[in-house]
mmCIF file of all heavy atoms in Angstrom:
data_model
loop_
_atom_site.group_PDB
_atom_site.id
_atom_site.type_symbol
_atom_site.label_atom_id
_atom_site.label_comp_id
_atom_site.label_asym_id
_atom_site.label_seq_id
_atom_site.Cartn_x
_atom_site.Cartn_y
_atom_site.Cartn_z
ATOM 1 N N ARG A 220 -14.753 9.992 -8.510
ATOM 2 C CA ARG A 220 -14.038 9.721 -7.253
ATOM 3 C C ARG A 220 -13.184 8.445 -7.290
ATOM 4 O O ARG A 220 -12.383 8.193 -6.417
ATOM 5 C CB ARG A 220 -15.005 9.610 -6.065
ATOM 6 C CG ARG A 220 -15.804 10.825 -5.766
ATOM 7 C CD ARG A 220 -15.131 11.821 -4.826
ATOM 8 N NE ARG A 220 -14.148 11.335 -3.899
ATOM 9 C CZ ARG A 220 -14.169 11.521 -2.604
ATOM 10 N NH1 ARG A 220 -15.130 12.164 -2.037
ATOM 11 N NH2 ARG A 220 -13.154 11.119 -1.850
ATOM 12 N N GLU A 222 -11.037 7.636 -9.673
ATOM 13 C CA GLU A 222 -9.870 7.733 -10.504
ATOM 14 C C GLU A 222 -8.573 7.389 -9.715
ATOM 15 O O GLU A 222 -8.327 7.862 -8.627
ATOM 16 C CB GLU A 222 -9.792 9.190 -11.024
ATOM 17 C CG GLU A 222 -8.821 9.253 -12.200
ATOM 18 C CD GLU A 222 -8.676 10.687 -12.684
ATOM 19 O OE1 GLU A 222 -9.459 11.536 -12.353
ATOM 20 O OE2 GLU A 222 -7.639 10.890 -13.412
ATOM 21 N N GLY A 223 -7.772 6.556 -10.373
ATOM 22 C CA GLY A 223 -6.495 6.163 -9.781
ATOM 23 C C GLY A 223 -6.576 4.943 -8.851
ATOM 24 O O GLY A 223 -5.571 4.423 -8.444
ATOM 25 N N GLU A 224 -7.779 4.540 -8.465
ATOM 26 C CA GLU A 224 -7.910 3.468 -7.476
ATOM 27 C C GLU A 224 -8.607 2.229 -8.009
ATOM 28 O O GLU A 224 -8.783 1.283 -7.282
ATOM 29 C CB GLU A 224 -8.675 3.975 -6.259
ATOM 30 C CG GLU A 224 -8.033 5.230 -5.657
ATOM 31 C CD GLU A 224 -8.437 5.504 -4.209
ATOM 32 O OE1 GLU A 224 -8.374 4.586 -3.396
ATOM 33 O OE2 GLU A 224 -8.841 6.624 -3.947
ATOM 34 N N LYS A 227 -6.847 -1.434 -7.942
ATOM 35 C CA LYS A 227 -5.549 -1.316 -7.302
ATOM 36 C C LYS A 227 -5.409 -2.267 -6.074
ATOM 37 O O LYS A 227 -4.442 -2.957 -5.910
ATOM 38 C CB LYS A 227 -5.257 0.122 -6.884
ATOM 39 C CG LYS A 227 -4.883 0.996 -8.067
ATOM 40 C CD LYS A 227 -3.372 0.880 -8.413
ATOM 41 C CE LYS A 227 -3.072 1.428 -9.783
ATOM 42 N NZ LYS A 227 -3.369 2.884 -9.923
ATOM 43 N N CYS A 228 -6.381 -2.182 -5.147
ATOM 44 C CA CYS A 228 -6.273 -2.910 -3.917
ATOM 45 C C CYS A 228 -7.225 -4.101 -3.887
ATOM 46 O O CYS A 228 -7.437 -4.706 -2.838
ATOM 47 C CB CYS A 228 -6.550 -2.030 -2.734
ATOM 48 S SG CYS A 228 -5.101 -1.199 -2.210
ATOM 49 N N HIS A 297 -13.607 2.123 8.200
ATOM 50 C CA HIS A 297 -13.979 3.414 7.547
ATOM 51 C C HIS A 297 -14.456 3.303 6.080
ATOM 52 O O HIS A 297 -14.344 4.299 5.342
ATOM 53 C CB HIS A 297 -12.808 4.375 7.604
ATOM 54 C CG HIS A 297 -12.238 4.570 8.969
ATOM 55 N ND1 HIS A 297 -12.986 4.505 10.100
ATOM 56 C CD2 HIS A 297 -10.935 4.781 9.380
ATOM 57 C CE1 HIS A 297 -12.181 4.688 11.126
ATOM 58 N NE2 HIS A 297 -10.947 4.849 10.765
ATOM 59 N N GLU A 336 -6.034 -4.384 13.488
ATOM 60 C CA GLU A 336 -5.085 -3.806 12.522
ATOM 61 C C GLU A 336 -4.975 -2.296 12.685
ATOM 62 O O GLU A 336 -3.934 -1.702 12.458
ATOM 63 C CB GLU A 336 -5.470 -4.129 11.069
ATOM 64 C CG GLU A 336 -5.367 -5.632 10.771
ATOM 65 C CD GLU A 336 -3.947 -6.103 10.555
ATOM 66 O OE1 GLU A 336 -3.270 -5.578 9.679
ATOM 67 O OE2 GLU A 336 -3.478 -6.994 11.297
ATOM 68 N N GLY A 338 -4.985 -0.858 15.431
ATOM 69 C CA GLY A 338 -4.142 -0.535 16.548
ATOM 70 C C GLY A 338 -4.583 -1.062 17.899
ATOM 71 O O GLY A 338 -3.889 -0.832 18.893
ATOM 72 N N VAL A 424 -0.539 -6.160 9.886
ATOM 73 C CA VAL A 424 0.194 -5.087 10.530
ATOM 74 C C VAL A 424 1.460 -5.580 11.218
ATOM 75 O O VAL A 424 2.367 -4.823 11.529
ATOM 76 C CB VAL A 424 -0.780 -4.390 11.517
ATOM 77 C CG1 VAL A 424 -0.945 -5.181 12.786
ATOM 78 C CG2 VAL A 424 -0.306 -2.977 11.814
ATOM 79 N N GLN A 429 10.940 -4.454 5.932
ATOM 80 C CA GLN A 429 12.373 -4.776 5.989
ATOM 81 C C GLN A 429 12.557 -6.291 6.028
ATOM 82 O O GLN A 429 11.847 -6.988 6.793
ATOM 83 C CB GLN A 429 12.948 -4.124 7.300
ATOM 84 C CG GLN A 429 12.965 -2.608 7.292
ATOM 85 C CD GLN A 429 11.563 -2.011 7.497
ATOM 86 O OE1 GLN A 429 10.658 -2.646 7.974
ATOM 87 N NE2 GLN A 429 11.395 -0.727 7.063
ATOM 88 N N LEU A 462 4.562 -4.437 0.869
ATOM 89 C CA LEU A 462 5.141 -3.760 -0.267
ATOM 90 C C LEU A 462 4.142 -3.519 -1.418
ATOM 91 O O LEU A 462 4.240 -2.586 -2.149
ATOM 92 C CB LEU A 462 6.338 -4.526 -0.794
ATOM 93 C CG LEU A 462 7.421 -4.756 0.268
ATOM 94 C CD1 LEU A 462 8.420 -5.808 -0.233
ATOM 95 C CD2 LEU A 462 8.141 -3.442 0.580
ATOM 96 N N GLU A 548 9.546 2.270 19.014
ATOM 97 C CA GLU A 548 10.580 3.279 18.795
ATOM 98 C C GLU A 548 11.579 3.323 19.962
ATOM 99 O O GLU A 548 12.756 3.703 19.734
ATOM 100 C CB GLU A 548 9.958 4.669 18.527
ATOM 101 C CG GLU A 548 9.182 4.613 17.220
ATOM 102 C CD GLU A 548 8.842 5.973 16.639
ATOM 103 O OE1 GLU A 548 9.286 6.994 17.216
ATOM 104 O OE2 GLU A 548 8.079 5.971 15.650
ATOM 105 N N LEU A 557 13.557 -4.536 12.106
ATOM 106 C CA LEU A 557 13.089 -3.143 12.127
ATOM 107 C C LEU A 557 13.849 -2.336 13.222
ATOM 108 O O LEU A 557 14.495 -1.363 12.884
ATOM 109 C CB LEU A 557 11.596 -3.076 12.349
ATOM 110 C CG LEU A 557 10.991 -1.718 12.299
ATOM 111 C CD1 LEU A 557 10.974 -1.187 10.858
ATOM 112 C CD2 LEU A 557 9.541 -1.714 12.834
ATOM 113 N N ARG A 572 2.861 -5.321 -9.852
ATOM 114 C CA ARG A 572 2.496 -3.937 -10.196
ATOM 115 C C ARG A 572 1.143 -3.989 -10.891
ATOM 116 O O ARG A 572 0.938 -4.765 -11.801
ATOM 117 C CB ARG A 572 3.533 -3.344 -11.136
ATOM 118 C CG ARG A 572 4.968 -3.497 -10.708
ATOM 119 C CD ARG A 572 5.558 -2.299 -10.008
ATOM 120 N NE ARG A 572 4.907 -1.073 -10.193
ATOM 121 C CZ ARG A 572 5.421 0.104 -9.837
ATOM 122 N NH1 ARG A 572 6.588 0.155 -9.335
ATOM 123 N NH2 ARG A 572 4.704 1.220 -9.976
ATOM 124 N N GLU A 644 -18.016 11.472 9.623
ATOM 125 C CA GLU A 644 -17.171 10.975 10.700
ATOM 126 C C GLU A 644 -16.768 12.076 11.701
ATOM 127 O O GLU A 644 -16.578 13.203 11.306
ATOM 128 C CB GLU A 644 -15.891 10.337 10.123
ATOM 129 C CG GLU A 644 -15.001 11.353 9.476
ATOM 130 C CD GLU A 644 -13.575 10.847 9.149
ATOM 131 O OE1 GLU A 644 -12.996 10.080 9.948
ATOM 132 O OE2 GLU A 644 -13.020 11.277 8.137
ATOM 133 N N PHE A 647 -10.572 13.427 14.429
ATOM 134 C CA PHE A 647 -9.644 13.755 15.556
ATOM 135 C C PHE A 647 -8.429 12.891 15.321
ATOM 136 O O PHE A 647 -8.387 12.012 14.512
ATOM 137 C CB PHE A 647 -10.306 13.358 16.905
ATOM 138 C CG PHE A 647 -10.580 11.902 16.998
ATOM 139 C CD1 PHE A 647 -9.598 11.052 17.487
ATOM 140 C CD2 PHE A 647 -11.759 11.385 16.512
ATOM 141 C CE1 PHE A 647 -9.812 9.675 17.505
ATOM 142 C CE2 PHE A 647 -11.973 9.997 16.517
ATOM 143 C CZ PHE A 647 -11.012 9.143 17.029
ATOM 144 N N MET B 276 12.645 10.372 20.610
ATOM 145 C CA MET B 276 12.310 10.608 19.210
ATOM 146 C C MET B 276 12.111 12.112 18.907
ATOM 147 O O MET B 276 11.758 12.493 17.811
ATOM 148 C CB MET B 276 11.018 9.853 18.841
ATOM 149 C CG MET B 276 9.831 10.169 19.668
ATOM 150 S SD MET B 276 8.432 9.161 19.210
ATOM 151 C CE MET B 276 7.520 9.162 20.739
ATOM 152 N N GLY B 298 -8.244 10.238 -1.446
ATOM 153 C CA GLY B 298 -8.803 9.028 -2.074
ATOM 154 C C GLY B 298 -9.815 8.315 -1.184
ATOM 155 O O GLY B 298 -10.244 8.824 -0.164
ATOM 156 N N LEU B 299 -10.058 7.051 -1.517
ATOM 157 C CA LEU B 299 -11.123 6.300 -0.850
ATOM 158 C C LEU B 299 -10.588 5.338 0.223
ATOM 159 O O LEU B 299 -11.333 4.649 0.902
ATOM 160 C CB LEU B 299 -11.930 5.528 -1.920
ATOM 161 C CG LEU B 299 -12.523 6.430 -2.975
ATOM 162 C CD1 LEU B 299 -13.179 5.548 -4.100
ATOM 163 C CD2 LEU B 299 -13.570 7.378 -2.395
ATOM 164 N N GLY B 301 -9.408 3.922 3.551
ATOM 165 C CA GLY B 301 -9.779 4.235 4.926
ATOM 166 C C GLY B 301 -8.718 3.889 5.990
ATOM 167 O O GLY B 301 -8.966 4.063 7.161
ATOM 168 N N ASP B 303 -6.286 4.635 8.348
ATOM 169 C CA ASP B 303 -5.803 5.907 8.918
ATOM 170 C C ASP B 303 -4.900 5.682 10.143
ATOM 171 O O ASP B 303 -4.598 6.651 10.833
ATOM 172 C CB ASP B 303 -6.927 6.834 9.239
ATOM 173 C CG ASP B 303 -7.879 6.297 10.271
ATOM 174 O OD1 ASP B 303 -7.708 5.127 10.706
ATOM 175 O OD2 ASP B 303 -8.797 7.021 10.672
ATOM 176 N N ARG B 304 -4.526 4.453 10.433
ATOM 177 C CA ARG B 304 -3.691 4.228 11.629
ATOM 178 C C ARG B 304 -2.367 5.025 11.503
ATOM 179 O O ARG B 304 -1.974 5.760 12.415
ATOM 180 C CB ARG B 304 -3.349 2.733 11.724
ATOM 181 C CG ARG B 304 -2.395 2.469 12.903
ATOM 182 C CD ARG B 304 -2.081 0.957 13.015
ATOM 183 N NE ARG B 304 -1.199 0.680 14.146
ATOM 184 C CZ ARG B 304 -1.096 -0.487 14.769
ATOM 185 N NH1 ARG B 304 -1.799 -1.515 14.330
ATOM 186 N NH2 ARG B 304 -0.274 -0.631 15.795
ATOM 187 N N LEU B 325 -10.959 11.464 6.591
ATOM 188 C CA LEU B 325 -10.865 10.485 5.472
ATOM 189 C C LEU B 325 -11.520 10.982 4.216
ATOM 190 O O LEU B 325 -12.336 11.897 4.178
ATOM 191 C CB LEU B 325 -11.488 9.181 5.886
ATOM 192 C CG LEU B 325 -10.716 8.427 6.960
ATOM 193 C CD1 LEU B 325 -11.600 7.364 7.561
ATOM 194 C CD2 LEU B 325 -9.456 7.776 6.371
ATOM 195 N N HIS B 326 -11.158 10.216 3.088
ATOM 196 C CA HIS B 326 -11.890 10.337 1.818
ATOM 197 C C HIS B 326 -11.873 11.748 1.235
ATOM 198 O O HIS B 326 -12.910 12.248 0.762
ATOM 199 C CB HIS B 326 -13.368 9.827 2.001
ATOM 200 C CG HIS B 326 -13.434 8.497 2.671
ATOM 201 N ND1 HIS B 326 -14.447 8.199 3.562
ATOM 202 C CD2 HIS B 326 -12.661 7.409 2.623
ATOM 203 C CE1 HIS B 326 -14.269 6.928 4.024
ATOM 204 N NE2 HIS B 326 -13.187 6.438 3.455
ATOM 205 N N SER B 350 -3.169 2.919 -0.863
ATOM 206 C CA SER B 350 -4.121 2.266 -1.784
ATOM 207 C C SER B 350 -3.508 1.992 -3.135
ATOM 208 O O SER B 350 -4.168 1.415 -4.023
ATOM 209 C CB SER B 350 -5.319 3.204 -2.003
ATOM 210 O OG SER B 350 -4.880 4.403 -2.644
ATOM 211 N N ALA B 352 -2.760 4.355 -5.186
ATOM 212 C CA ALA B 352 -3.134 5.456 -6.058
ATOM 213 C C ALA B 352 -2.190 6.627 -5.985
ATOM 214 O O ALA B 352 -2.492 7.716 -6.451
ATOM 215 C CB ALA B 352 -4.543 5.906 -5.722
ATOM 216 N N THR B 355 -1.360 8.904 -9.038
ATOM 217 C CA THR B 355 -2.437 9.813 -9.384
ATOM 218 C C THR B 355 -2.551 10.971 -8.400
ATOM 219 O O THR B 355 -2.659 12.122 -8.778
ATOM 220 C CB THR B 355 -3.800 9.066 -9.465
ATOM 221 O OG1 THR B 355 -3.677 7.965 -10.311
ATOM 222 C CG2 THR B 355 -4.923 9.976 -9.979
ATOM 223 N N ARG B 359 -1.442 15.229 -8.507
ATOM 224 C CA ARG B 359 -2.608 16.089 -8.577
ATOM 225 C C ARG B 359 -2.534 17.157 -7.489
ATOM 226 O O ARG B 359 -2.798 18.346 -7.734
ATOM 227 C CB ARG B 359 -3.884 15.205 -8.420
ATOM 228 C CG ARG B 359 -5.197 15.924 -8.634
ATOM 229 C CD ARG B 359 -5.462 16.302 -10.051
ATOM 230 N NE ARG B 359 -5.395 15.187 -10.961
ATOM 231 C CZ ARG B 359 -6.395 14.254 -11.125
ATOM 232 N NH1 ARG B 359 -7.522 14.428 -10.493
ATOM 233 N NH2 ARG B 359 -6.224 13.254 -11.956
ATOM 234 N N ILE B 379 2.428 2.842 1.231
ATOM 235 C CA ILE B 379 3.011 1.682 0.519
ATOM 236 C C ILE B 379 3.315 2.145 -0.911
ATOM 237 O O ILE B 379 2.434 2.158 -1.793
ATOM 238 C CB ILE B 379 2.032 0.496 0.532
ATOM 239 C CG1 ILE B 379 1.882 0.069 2.051
ATOM 240 C CG2 ILE B 379 2.605 -0.682 -0.248
ATOM 241 C CD1 ILE B 379 1.044 -1.132 2.247
ATOM 242 N N GLU B 383 10.833 2.940 -6.969
ATOM 243 C CA GLU B 383 10.967 3.668 -8.255
ATOM 244 C C GLU B 383 9.868 4.727 -8.421
ATOM 245 O O GLU B 383 10.066 5.738 -9.054
ATOM 246 C CB GLU B 383 10.986 2.704 -9.438
ATOM 247 C CG GLU B 383 9.745 1.835 -9.613
ATOM 248 C CD GLU B 383 9.900 0.465 -8.997
ATOM 249 O OE1 GLU B 383 10.482 0.373 -7.877
ATOM 250 O OE2 GLU B 383 9.404 -0.539 -9.543
ATOM 251 N N ASP B 384 8.710 4.480 -7.754
ATOM 252 C CA ASP B 384 7.655 5.490 -7.830
ATOM 253 C C ASP B 384 8.049 6.704 -6.977
ATOM 254 O O ASP B 384 7.756 7.866 -7.338
ATOM 255 C CB ASP B 384 6.335 4.939 -7.300
ATOM 256 C CG ASP B 384 5.722 3.926 -8.276
ATOM 257 O OD1 ASP B 384 6.258 3.721 -9.387
ATOM 258 O OD2 ASP B 384 4.714 3.261 -7.899
ATOM 259 N N PRO B 399 6.726 1.838 5.194
ATOM 260 C CA PRO B 399 6.327 1.155 6.465
ATOM 261 C C PRO B 399 7.546 0.919 7.363
ATOM 262 O O PRO B 399 8.641 0.603 6.885
ATOM 263 C CB PRO B 399 5.810 -0.197 5.985
ATOM 264 C CG PRO B 399 5.504 -0.050 4.533
ATOM 265 C CD PRO B 399 6.396 1.040 4.014
ATOM 266 N N GLY B 400 7.388 1.144 8.673
ATOM 267 C CA GLY B 400 8.422 0.876 9.625
ATOM 268 C C GLY B 400 9.315 2.103 9.886
ATOM 269 O O GLY B 400 10.213 1.994 10.707
ATOM 270 N N THR B 403 8.951 7.622 13.714
ATOM 271 C CA THR B 403 8.337 8.983 13.534
ATOM 272 C C THR B 403 9.417 10.009 13.699
ATOM 273 O O THR B 403 9.304 11.113 13.137
ATOM 274 C CB THR B 403 7.236 9.203 14.574
ATOM 275 O OG1 THR B 403 7.707 8.886 15.876
ATOM 276 C CG2 THR B 403 6.030 8.345 14.264
#
Side-chain angles (χ1 to χ4, degrees):
Chain A
R220 296 273 335 233
E222 197 185 342
E224 304 200 51
K227 283 278 164 59
C228 274
H297 310 325
E336 292 284 301
V424 78
Q429 295 72 22
L462 302 167
E548 295 196 6
L557 184 70
R572 311 259 345 190
E644 65 166 325
F647 64 88
Chain B
M276 57 183 154
L299 302 173
D303 63 354
R304 177 179 182 159
L325 292 163
H326 310 143
S350 65
T355 305
R359 187 72 55 81
I379 299 185
E383 60 264 39
D384 290 353
T403 52

